[in-house]
């Protein structure tokens, strides 16, 4: 099978196929006497799987998973895929939490915030699934301004700070630009949540799309595993 035939089916260049081969994402490719690569149906299945998994999982994960499949480390590869799905589910929960908080008139309406007015930076970091250093960076950028205890100087975060951290996290993962984040936060300070909610809902839609793409990628991965299993038998 010629590389150009596979490339045409997948709507990619033959150089992309060679990159995947050089990265060790497909089994060894034999060469003809004239130097041409001799691709097989197995290679085609690997290439299809790489393209199918790309949107939902990204190339970084693919470069971890496919070499393991080739080495016969199937369970290790599948657990990596599972971990990526767990991360996507966690992201969905965080963004949904952001949307829910934007819909509230009073943050104290949430049961977990009803009897507590202050939180540590560690608690806020855990709630938003970000690092404490990330929160400190946002503080340096002027995006959040927590109060401080007079005696110790420790930061004190309230429910409104948690909401702001969740919004900053969600917005930055969608638009990346800190300037846009500042615009959203400025509107939030004016009690205008429309822009933040629009971006958060877009993030939710993308996560749902990524889930569908992950399932499609896993179906192609199963096809590769079936070929590998039949080959071993």
């Amino acid at each position: 099978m010629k590389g150009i035939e596979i490339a045409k089916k997948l709507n990619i260049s033959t150089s992309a196929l060679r990159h995947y081969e050089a990265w060790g994402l497909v089994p060894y490719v034999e060469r003809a006497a004239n130097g041409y690569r001799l691709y097989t149906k197995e290679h085609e299945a690997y290439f299809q799987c790489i393209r199918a998994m790309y949107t939902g999982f990204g190339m970084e994960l693919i470069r971890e998973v496919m070499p393991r499949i080739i080495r016969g480390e199937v369970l290790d590869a599948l657990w990596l895929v599972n971990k990526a799905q767990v991360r996507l589910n966690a992201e969905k929960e965080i963004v949904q939490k952001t949307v829910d908080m934007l819909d509230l008139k009073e943050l104290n309406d949430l049961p977990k915030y009803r009897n507590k007015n202050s939180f540590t930076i560690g608690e806020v970091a855990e709630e938003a699934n970000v690092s404490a250093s990330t929160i400190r960076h946002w503080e340096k950028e002027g995006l959040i301004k927590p109060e401080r205890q007079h005696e110790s100087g420790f930061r004190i975060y309230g429910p409104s700070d948690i909401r702001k951290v969740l919004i900053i996290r969600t917005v930055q993962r969608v638009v990346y630009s800190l300037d846009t984040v500042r615009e959203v936060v400025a509107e939030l300070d004016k009690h205008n949540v429309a822009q933040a909610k629009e971006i958060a809902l877009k993030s939710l839609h993308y996560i749902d799309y990524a889930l569908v793409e992950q399932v499609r990628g896993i179906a192609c991965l199963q096809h590769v595993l079936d070929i590998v299993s039949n080959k071993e038998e």
Side-chain angles (χ1 to χ4, degrees):
M1 182 177 295
K2 294 180 179 178
I4 194 168
E5 295 172 339
I6 298 175
K8 189 175 290 185
K9 281 185 182 180
L10 301 179
N11 195 29
I12 58 175
S13 66
T14 53
S15 62
L17 300 184
R18 290 194 290 272
H19 281 311
Y20 298 154
E21 182 185 343
W23 293 340
L25 307 185
V26 299
Y28 177 74
V29 181
E30 299 284 351
R31 300 282 187 125
N34 58 10
Y36 287 129
R37 291 170 171 82
L38 300 175
Y39 292 118
T40 64
K41 284 290 184 182
E42 181 183 7
H43 292 115
E44 183 182 17
Y46 271 87
F47 287 129
Q48 286 176 335
C49 183
I50 291 166
R51 297 307 301 172
M53 290 182 69
Y54 179 72
T55 304
F57 293 102
M59 188 55 68
E60 184 178 346
L61 182 79
I62 292 169
R63 293 185 70 165
E64 291 188 68
V65 167
M66 303 311 285
R68 284 174 168 80
I69 298 293
I70 295 169
R71 294 195 300 265
E73 301 166 3
V74 174
L75 283 177
D76 288 344
L78 292 179
W79 279 117
L80 286 173
V81 171
N82 177 263
K83 190 181 293 185
Q85 290 189 287
V86 170
R87 284 197 300 267
L88 185 68
N89 182 68
E91 183 69 13
K92 167 89 170 181
E93 290 179 354
I94 292 289
V95 178
Q96 186 62 61
K97 188 189 301 182
T98 306
V99 172
D100 292 344
M101 292 185 84
L102 285 168
D103 283 334
L104 290 174
K105 291 184 179 179
E106 295 293 337
L107 295 179
N108 287 335
D109 289 343
L110 289 174
K112 68 188 304 180
Y113 301 139
R114 200 162 287 157
N115 300 313
K116 191 170 182 179
N117 296 318
S118 64
F119 302 82
T120 66
I121 190 170
E123 290 172 327
V124 177
E126 183 178 358
E127 184 74 7
N129 195 24
V130 296
S131 65
S133 60
T134 296
I135 295 175
R136 292 189 190 98
H137 173 68
W138 290 338
E139 184 181 343
K140 287 179 182 177
E141 291 291 337
L143 298 174
I144 52 175
K145 298 173 183 176
E147 295 181 6
R148 288 185 178 262
Q149 289 181 340
H150 293 299
E151 297 84 3
S152 64
F154 290 149
R155 296 170 177 83
I156 303 173
Y157 298 85
S160 61
D161 293 311
I162 292 179
R163 179 170 73 168
K164 192 170 285 188
V165 166
L166 283 167
I167 291 166
I168 293 168
R169 176 194 185 280
T170 299
V171 172
Q172 191 168 29
R173 293 194 178 205
V174 175
V175 299
Y176 301 107
S177 166
L178 272 180
D179 289 336
T180 303
V181 175
R182 285 192 181 91
E183 289 176 17
V184 173
V185 170
E187 289 298 306
L188 193 65
D189 289 338
K190 299 174 188 174
H191 305 289
N192 181 5
V193 301
Q195 188 180 7
K197 188 170 181 180
E198 180 184 357
I199 292 173
L201 288 174
K202 281 182 181 177
S203 182
L204 277 180
H205 291 321
Y206 177 77
I207 291 169
D208 288 341
Y209 167 73
L211 174 63
V212 173
E213 290 299 307
Q214 283 190 353
V215 172
R216 190 171 73 89
I218 289 171
C220 284
L221 180 60
Q222 182 60 56
H223 178 54
V224 169
L225 294 179
D226 289 342
I227 289 175
V228 171
S229 177
N230 293 334
K231 186 179 176 181
E232 290 174 350
E233 291 175 1

